[in-house]
Amino acid sequence: GPLHLGAGYVSAPTGLATPPASDSAKEFGVRALYELGAFTVGAYYINNKVDDGAGNSLKRNAIRLSGMYAMGASEFHANFGKASNFKANGTTVDDSGATQFTLGYNYNLSKRTKVYGYYTHVNNSRNAAYQSGVAGADFSSVAVGIRHNF
């Protein structure tokens, strides 16, 4: 039917601790997507927890909202995401969150092949370095390509 639901859980050592495997990274997420004729809307929530094996922990939540409008072979996409501030050992790390938006377009050449283009922008808070690698630096990208599913 038109409703798609999903959930996932991952738990694994990060490989950062000494001795190895005494640390852990865990992620829990839920997703939903609903198709309304030509419109599709979706959302997800993810919770991340990292323990370095030495008593230090980091926690973060993230959400994303997405929408698509299909018109013939064309698909118009927009989404918005937000990563919350980190909590380190239970204390909020100020200005460590970020927001992201993406605008995209797909043109379906066939059932298995499409050309696409998109623009994305990440707005990092002062102490966040998502995609940029530099705290506080924003990140933007443009992509064009072709995708074929074999």
Side-chain angles (χ1 to χ4, degrees):
L3 179 63
H4 305 266
L5 301 173
Y9 177 76
V10 177
S11 179
T14 67
L16 300 174
T18 305
S22 64
D23 61 346
S24 67
K26 297 178 181 178
E27 180 176 285
F28 170 76
V30 293
R31 299 173 182 263
L33 183 87
Y34 193 77
E35 299 173 74
L36 302 152
F39 290 98
T40 301
V41 294
Y44 74 67
Y45 165 81
I46 292 179
N47 174 265
N48 300 105
K49 295 178 184 177
V50 177
D51 179 355
D52 71 357
N56 298 304
S57 67
L58 282 175
K59 297 179 182 180
R60 178 202 71 151
N61 296 313
I63 61 164
R64 180 167 301 281
L65 305 172
S66 64
M68 179 187 77
Y69 178 73
M71 183 172 55
S74 295
E75 298 173 352
F76 301 90
H77 296 261
N79 71 61
F80 172 81
K82 179 166 180 51
S84 68
N85 286 331
F86 277 100
K87 287 191 177 181
N89 300 322
T91 301
T92 299
V93 178
D94 291 336
D95 297 320
S96 60
T99 58
Q100 176 189 21
F101 75 86
T102 301
L103 298 174
Y105 174 76
N106 294 335
Y107 185 81
N108 294 292
L109 298 171
S110 69
K111 281 183 145 183
R112 298 186 313 157
T113 306
K114 68 172 66 176
V115 292
Y116 64 86
Y118 72 82
Y119 171 78
T120 189
H121 180 79
V122 177
N123 184 19
N124 283 307
S125 296
R126 184 171 40 97
N127 295 317
Y130 292 96
Q131 298 296 104
S132 69
V134 177
D138 293 346
F139 173 84
S140 295
S141 69
V142 174
V144 294
I146 186 167
R147 186 191 84 188
H148 179 75
N149 291 326
F150 292 94

